[in-house]
Amino acid sequence: MVRRRWRALLLLAVIGAGVGAGASAVLSPGYEAQASVLLQGPRQPDELLTQAQVATSSVVLDRASAALGLGTRGTDLQKSVTPSVAQGNVVTLTAKGDSPEHAQQLADQVAKEFVKYSTQLLGNSADQAAQLAQQQKESLRQQVAQTNQRILDLSKSVANGDTVEGVQARTTLQGLRTALEQAVNNLNAADAATGAGNMVVLGPSERPSSPSAPTFPQLTVGGAVLFFVLGILAYLFGARTDRRPRGEGEIGAALGAPVLASIDTPAVSDAPAKWWRKAVGNERPWNLPEVPSSADDTAREVRYRRVLARLGADRDGVLRLLILVPRGDASARNVAEQFVGTARGDRIRVEATVTEIEVVPGAQPIVPDGTAGVLVVLSLGSRNAWELVSIAEACADSGHEVLGAVLAREVHVAGGPKQKPVAKPRTDELAGAR
């Protein structure tokens, strides 16, 4: 199959490469650089996701575009900057660019503007938050001081630990210790919350050394391979679903008569809309068996005469022949006309009539009544088994006997079909054909 259709598959590969190259303008990310920002202090997962959305907000990207002098809006840069949340309270910003320098500059600038903008957001509410935090911390310190004083007083008042008063004092002392520990923990949490808004950029981004996948060569080669494989699968699928018989034995069994010959016929070179099929090597079905090509018209005429010799003649020495050709089968029509032309000059008296029949699936063709023998001429692999059976049944209903079939196949001869003077066949040729 590949040998017969290599030009068509090569054309598909070239088309696939073009599609892949065109898709690279949309799918290829170009160069990518990453900048990381560390959010200090304890953070909740939802808070990290919120900060990641802030990093790609229009405000941050507008400032980055203005700082770099890109002249584009922040909304246009949202496709070029992608945030992600990593472990350890780290927000990673991935920037895409058409060059390593542009990708690195965009990543660093967006990270810088993100930290600056987040700091400004925290600074707007820092006064109220700082005042509230200071009040909470002062209250906690007073609670700690009171608890320490109470523990000291109880320690002095406990003289004997075996009395009831001593047991109650120790119980109260244990509760105060618990309250003191809770106050200290709250104070530590307040101090940590005070420094939770700090952010820092973890160094400059690394300049990329090569484009990120999928690259232009990868998409181009991938498209060529994909279309090549799809072409092979399409041919295999067509061969799998096509049930038309192509062997002489199968065609003869469906017609109920032997296949007398397989004859090649030169293709019409000036037929419209066939130049492109010839250019890609698609003028002949790839899954048909090879038919030996004739050298010239003389060789083809010898084949026609041998078919006449195999058919023989009636008792009165006349071969009455009805040649059936499916309508629309140009190759078979050409072979039938050449067959009639050869029969006129043959030594055997032949009365040949060419009739076109309409062969459609699900309907029996109409064949003229009579008692002449029928020669079916059709293109190789053009009809399925049920259509061949319907032709045989139509001939039986009209009183004809199917004597045989001739298979035609269109071939392309380099330089056009060769014409040679038609030589009179020798008697021993026809005798051998019989």
Side-chain angles (χ1 to χ4, degrees):
M1 180 194 68
V2 177
R3 180 176 60 86
R4 297 186 182 182
R5 286 292 182 266
W6 67 269
R7 284 186 289 181
L9 295 175
L10 179 61
L11 179 61
L12 285 176
V14 172
I15 295 176
V19 172
S24 64
V26 179
L27 301 179
S28 181
Y31 293 88
E32 291 184 349
Q34 292 184 345
S36 300
V37 178
L38 174 63
L39 280 67
Q40 297 178 352
R43 302 282 179 166
Q44 298 294 328
D46 294 341
E47 185 180 358
L48 293 176
L49 294 177
T50 302
Q51 292 295 336
Q53 295 298 323
V54 172
T56 55
S57 62
S58 59
V59 177
V60 174
L61 297 180
D62 281 337
R63 294 181 178 181
S65 176
L68 295 175
L70 300 179
T72 57
R73 298 180 301 176
T75 53
D76 297 333
L77 289 178
Q78 288 180 346
K79 297 180 180 180
S80 302
V81 181
T82 304
S84 61
V85 177
Q87 296 180 354
N89 296 348
V90 176
V91 176
T92 302
L93 301 175
T94 303
K96 303 175 183 178
D98 54 359
S99 66
E101 294 79 9
H102 292 169
Q104 183 185 28
Q105 292 174 1
L106 181 59
D108 292 338
Q109 192 64 36
V110 170
K112 180 180 177 181
E113 298 296 337
F114 166 53
V115 172
K116 185 185 298 185
Y117 180 64
S118 297
T119 304
Q120 290 177 357
L121 289 179
L122 294 175
N124 293 336
S125 58
D127 295 337
Q128 297 180 357
Q131 183 179 0
L132 180 60
Q134 186 65 28
Q135 293 176 359
Q136 291 177 351
K137 288 190 289 184
E138 188 64 28
S139 176
L140 289 173
R141 288 191 181 94
Q142 293 177 3
Q143 183 179 355
V144 170
Q146 293 175 1
T147 303
N148 285 331
Q149 185 63 36
R150 182 61 176 166
I151 292 174
L152 182 60
D153 295 341
L154 288 175
S155 299
K156 293 179 180 180
S157 64
V158 177
N160 188 1
D162 296 336
T163 62
V164 176
E165 290 79 4
V167 174
Q168 292 178 350
R170 287 196 298 270
T171 303
T172 304
L173 184 61
Q174 184 64 32
L176 292 174
R177 288 173 179 167
T178 303
L180 179 61
E181 292 178 357
Q182 183 65 33
V184 173
N185 292 335
N186 293 336
L187 183 59
N188 294 334
D191 292 336
T194 303
N198 298 330
M199 297 183 183
V200 61
V201 179
L202 298 179
S205 61
E206 183 179 357
R207 179 173 295 182
S209 58
S210 60
S212 302
T215 62
F216 176 81
Q218 290 174 346
L219 290 174
T220 302
V221 175
V225 173
L226 177 62
F227 275 60
F228 184 84
V229 173
L230 289 179
I232 293 178
L233 293 179
Y235 280 126
L236 293 179
F237 179 78
R240 183 72 175 178
T241 57
D242 191 356
R243 302 297 182 181
R244 290 175 294 184
R246 293 176 174 83
E248 293 184 357
E250 298 176 351
I251 297 175
L255 287 173
V259 175
L260 302 177
S262 295
I263 300 177
D264 62 298
T265 175
V268 181
S269 58
D270 56 349
K274 283 192 176 182
W275 62 267
W276 62 270
R277 296 181 60 186
K278 185 178 181 180
V280 299
N282 200 32
E283 72 275 13
R284 294 178 295 176
W286 64 272
N287 50 0
L288 290 180
E290 291 287 351
V291 175
S293 299
S294 304
D296 47 33
D297 290 344
T298 303
R300 277 188 291 273
E301 186 170 351
V302 171
R303 294 186 180 183
Y304 297 145
R305 294 185 182 280
R306 287 176 178 175
V307 172
L308 293 174
R310 292 188 181 100
L311 293 175
D314 294 339
R315 294 180 180 179
D316 55 358
V318 179
L319 175 58
R320 295 174 177 85
L321 197 60
L322 176 64
I323 303 177
L324 298 182
V325 178
R327 192 181 304 275
D329 195 337
S331 299
R333 180 72 183 185
N334 187 24
V335 170
E337 291 176 352
Q338 294 179 4
F339 194 90
V340 172
T342 304
R344 291 172 182 171
D346 197 78
R347 298 177 60 182
I348 303 175
R349 292 180 58 190
V350 180
E351 296 179 0
T353 303
V354 178
T355 302
E356 289 188 350
I357 56 176
E358 189 72 29
V359 181
V360 295
Q364 190 178 79
I366 299 176
V367 178
D369 295 334
T371 58
V374 171
L375 178 65
V376 181
V377 181
L378 69 159
S379 294
L380 182 61
S382 62
R383 302 294 171 182
N384 58 41
W386 291 110
E387 292 173 342
L388 298 178
V389 171
S390 66
I391 294 176
E393 292 178 349
C395 292
D397 292 341
S398 59
H400 297 285
E401 178 186 0
V402 180
L403 303 178
V406 174
L407 304 181
R409 181 175 180 182
E410 189 177 78
V411 296
H412 292 266
V413 181
K418 298 179 180 180
Q419 302 289 339
K420 288 187 178 181
V422 178
K424 189 66 176 179
R426 295 181 301 178
T427 307
D428 56 85
E429 282 185 345
L430 295 179
R434 289 189 178 88

